Amino acid sequence: MTSMIPENQRQGTILVVDDEPDILIAIKDLFEDEYRVVSTTSPLEALDILASEPDIAVILSDQRMPEMSGDEFLAQAREHSDAEAILLTGYADLKAVIGAVNKGRIMAYMPKPWDPSLLAVMVRSAYERRVLAREFDMERALLRGLMESTTDQISFKDLDGRFMRLNASKAKSFDVSPTLCLGRRESEFVTPERAASILEAERAAIAARAPAERLEERTTADGATQWYLVHRIPILDETGTVATIATIERDVTERKLMELRLRQADKMQALGTLAGGIAHDFNNLLMAVLGSLDLASRRAPDDPRLNRLLQNATYAAERGASLTQRLLSFSRQRDLSLRAVDVNEVIHDMNDLLMRTLGGVVRIEKNLSHALWPAMVDPDQLELAILNLCINARDAMAEGGQILLSTRNASVAEGEIADLPGGDYVVIAVRDEGAGIPPDILSRVIEPFFTTKEVGKGTGLGLPMVYGLAQQSGGTVTIESNVGRGTVVELYLARTMTNDAAAEREERAVSPSAPKIRILLVDDDAEVRAVTSAYLVEMGHRVIEAPDGASAIDILRTDRQIDLLVADFAMPGMTGFDLAVKAREHREGIGILLVTGYADPGKMAQGFPLLHKPFGREDLAAKVNEVAVTGLSSPEA
């Protein structure tokens, strides 16, 4: 084998095989300025060279050689290389040439003695053909790799709509192999409605002679909705005529669902803001109504009929107050206020709410443990969670049925329940007699925004809210369901060894009476201010009223005898918090009590006592007592 010059100085590599060294030298002299030339006198050595050097582009082989003939060598060469081959023969041997064409796949043959210029043209043509073949192979491999590795559905069709090529993802959508699709129209695999839509879209793209994009909504066999972003690309031939149409279909269901979820989240946020605003206004109204009814009932003559009417009005107003508290629970985005709670008491207090919310199509049965442990939970959010579970149970029984609401104590061993540490828990169970949940859906019911209800009838936030409450309360949620036999959802809450509610009642009972003090009352709502002032006067306090923050500041500047500032949080111009800060600047030791019907949690005062509207005389007295007896330190930084 002759020596070689560096490959980076050559356009390509050719292999010359001839048993006559003089011929090898002549061919090398002819081509070494343009190609890297590898030569040998042995066909067997040439086969080894082909096995070790896959980049050889052209083979020049003599026909008559001692070890084997040229046509035999080229036939064996095809086991190692797809290089273009030219047979050199010194005599007319048509049979050998035909064998070289059939087995060695030669592109041409050249009789000896050969014309150097003609041989150069032939080699150059073979080399260019090999380069084009490799480029074509690479493009084909890249296209095949792209088509088979992507999850996008890719297909090519002729102008009659017949598949010329398609990938496995596209064929899988028809539940057949790609081979069975070739030469057939897509209309053979889809519904007539979809076939008409596809035909219309393809005709529009062909007529426009430009790529077209369309978002298509499809329904699967199991009734689920999917969205595909479909690109249809007309492919033009050298004359500018549309010859083929390529289609790329991308599943964008997750992205579409995310868009819907974000839109739903925006709606929920707007609804929460609206609910908070409504609750604020209603709480001011209810504060005036409840306060006036309370004052009237204690000043009214001993008339049973009148007292009964006042009690009915008070009961109705208190129901309204309960509804506004649920609106606030819905609208607030705040951390849970965990404390010891008597779960049975929470459920008892929900009787009226459950009856009015669930309607008459279901019966509610209760089985509450008499020795139930206190649970560590946010009572407001617990009430909302129980309500959500009962609503889901009702919706699962379209024709009515019974909901069993039960409580029990449970000692859980480590590892007994997934994601739940071993320990003592209070369990709330809601059981229905509905249709049950299929296993494939049961695994997803706690996902946010996942719902099986009709559009507009479910947000997919009920069970995720319950699960989130349980997690933040040191517990979890378990769900057992049998299709056709109903569902039971169990809410596990961490047990606590103290009872804050009982302690609070006891503390209130033994608290000393508040001293009589001078109070500055500030509220922009005249009716609420009048009721609050009447309560304070009945307690024996001296009250000065102000309709806004600016007026209150003027009073504080001149009246040095004021002991306590009671201010509404949400007031125009100057909020109660701003007023409290300014009041401390004028009177460092003044007591502060803020009252509110609703406020943005992110803007709530830190370090000041807060009393929520509507409040009763007892609640107000307790807060005033707290400030007057214990005093109040400066607000937290």
Side-chain angles (χ1 to χ4, degrees), residues 219-522:
T219 303
T220 62
D222 58 2
T225 300
Q226 291 181 316
W227 286 269
Y228 282 83
L229 187 61
V230 182
H231 297 267
R232 292 183 172 88
I233 308 166
I235 300 176
L236 310 182
D237 60 18
E238 62 276 3
T239 66
T241 303
V242 177
T244 310
I245 184 165
T247 304
I248 303 174
E249 304 166 67
R250 174 164 296 173
D251 188 344
V252 294
T253 302
E254 286 299 321
R255 189 177 79 184
K256 185 66 176 178
L257 289 175
M258 183 59 69
E259 291 174 358
L260 294 175
R261 290 167 184 168
L262 289 174
R263 192 174 301 133
Q264 181 69 11
D266 288 342
K267 288 181 184 177
M268 299 296 285
Q269 184 176 8
L271 184 56
T273 302
L274 175 62
I278 293 173
H280 171 265
D281 291 339
F282 266 82
N283 277 334
N284 277 334
L285 293 173
L286 291 168
M287 179 69 230
V289 171
L290 283 169
S292 298
L293 288 170
D294 181 35
L295 293 168
S297 64
R298 285 187 284 109
R299 298 176 184 177
D302 187 12
D303 183 341
R305 183 178 180 184
L306 177 59
N307 288 332
R308 187 168 58 252
L309 293 174
L310 290 173
Q311 288 174 358
N312 288 340
T314 300
Y315 176 68
E318 286 175 345
R319 287 168 56 189
S322 177
L323 290 174
T324 58
Q325 287 304 312
R326 289 177 181 84
L327 283 175
L328 287 175
S329 294
F330 171 79
S331 65
R332 288 175 186 150
Q333 297 180 1
R334 57 178 174 83
D335 293 333
L336 297 181
S337 178
L338 300 179
R339 62 184 179 87
V341 171
D342 183 341
V343 173
N344 285 346
E345 184 177 344
V346 171
I347 294 175
H348 280 306
D349 291 343
M350 292 181 65
N351 284 339
D352 182 63
L353 173 65
L354 291 174
M355 291 173 58
R356 287 185 290 103
T357 303
L358 302 180
V361 296
V362 297
R363 303 185 313 278
I364 303 176
E365 297 292 334
K366 296 177 183 175
N367 183 14
L368 308 181
S369 173
H370 295 297
L372 195 67
W373 297 325
M376 183 60 70
V377 68
D378 183 322
D380 293 334
Q381 294 301 306
L382 175 62
E383 188 174 302
L384 186 59
I386 295 172
L387 179 62
N388 277 327
L389 293 178
C390 290
I391 289 174
N392 284 347
R394 178 202 63 186
D395 292 344
M397 299 183 293
E399 299 180 358
Q402 175 180 290
I403 298 174
L404 177 60
L405 182 57
S406 63
T407 60
R408 74 177 193 276
N409 298 325
S411 294
V412 178
E414 192 70 34
E416 181 179 347
I417 298 178
D419 300 327
L420 190 66
D424 291 337
Y425 295 89
V426 176
V427 182
I428 305 168
V430 178
R431 182 185 299 272
D432 65 59
E433 301 172 334
I437 306 173
D440 58 328
I441 296 178
L442 185 61
S443 62
R444 299 189 60 194
V445 293
I446 295 181
E447 293 181 15
F449 301 103
F450 178 80
T451 178
T452 58
K453 297 178 182 178
E454 298 177 19
V455 175
K457 293 187 177 180
T459 63
L461 292 173
L463 278 174
M465 172 266 172
V466 175
Y467 181 72
L469 170 68
Q471 289 280 297
Q472 293 186 65
S473 304
T476 191
V477 172
T478 64
I479 306 175
E480 294 184 10
S481 186
N482 294 297
V483 176
R485 298 173 56 188
T487 301
V488 56
V489 181
E490 292 190 327
L491 172 59
Y492 284 76
L493 303 172
R495 175 191 182 182
T496 181
M497 302 305 295
T498 61
N499 193 327
D500 292 348
E504 183 178 339
R505 288 193 295 268
E506 181 180 354
E507 180 181 349
R508 180 175 298 182
V510 299
S511 295
S513 299
K516 309 313 176 191
I517 58 176
R518 189 172 178 83
I519 299 175
L520 174 57
L521 174 63
V522 189

Side-chain angles (χ1 to χ4, degrees), residues 4 7 10 12 35-36 66 81 125 162 170 239 258 269 302 305 319-320 358 408 454 473 503 546 549 565 575-576 620:
M4 300 164 274
E7 181 179 351
R10 303 300 180 187
Y35 304 97
R36 170 178 174 257
S81 174
S125 175
R162 295 184 177 88
K170 180 64 175 177
T239 66
M258 183 59 69
Q269 184 176 8
D302 187 12
R305 183 178 180 184
R319 287 168 56 189
L358 302 180
R408 74 177 193 276
E454 298 177 19
S473 304
L565 170 67
T575 68
L620 178 61

Side-chain angles (χ1 to χ4, degrees), residues 535-574:
Y535 276 158
L536 293 171
V537 170
E538 280 192 349
M539 298 174 199
H541 303 298
R542 292 168 294 163
V543 179
I544 300 174
E545 299 182 26
D548 52 53
S551 302
I553 292 296
D554 291 338
I555 294 172
L556 286 171
R557 287 196 182 104
T558 59
D559 191 335
R560 308 298 297 178
Q561 303 301 314
I562 292 176
D563 303 298
L564 173 65
L565 170 67
V566 179
D568 184 33
F569 184 90
M571 294 187 296
M574 182 186 300

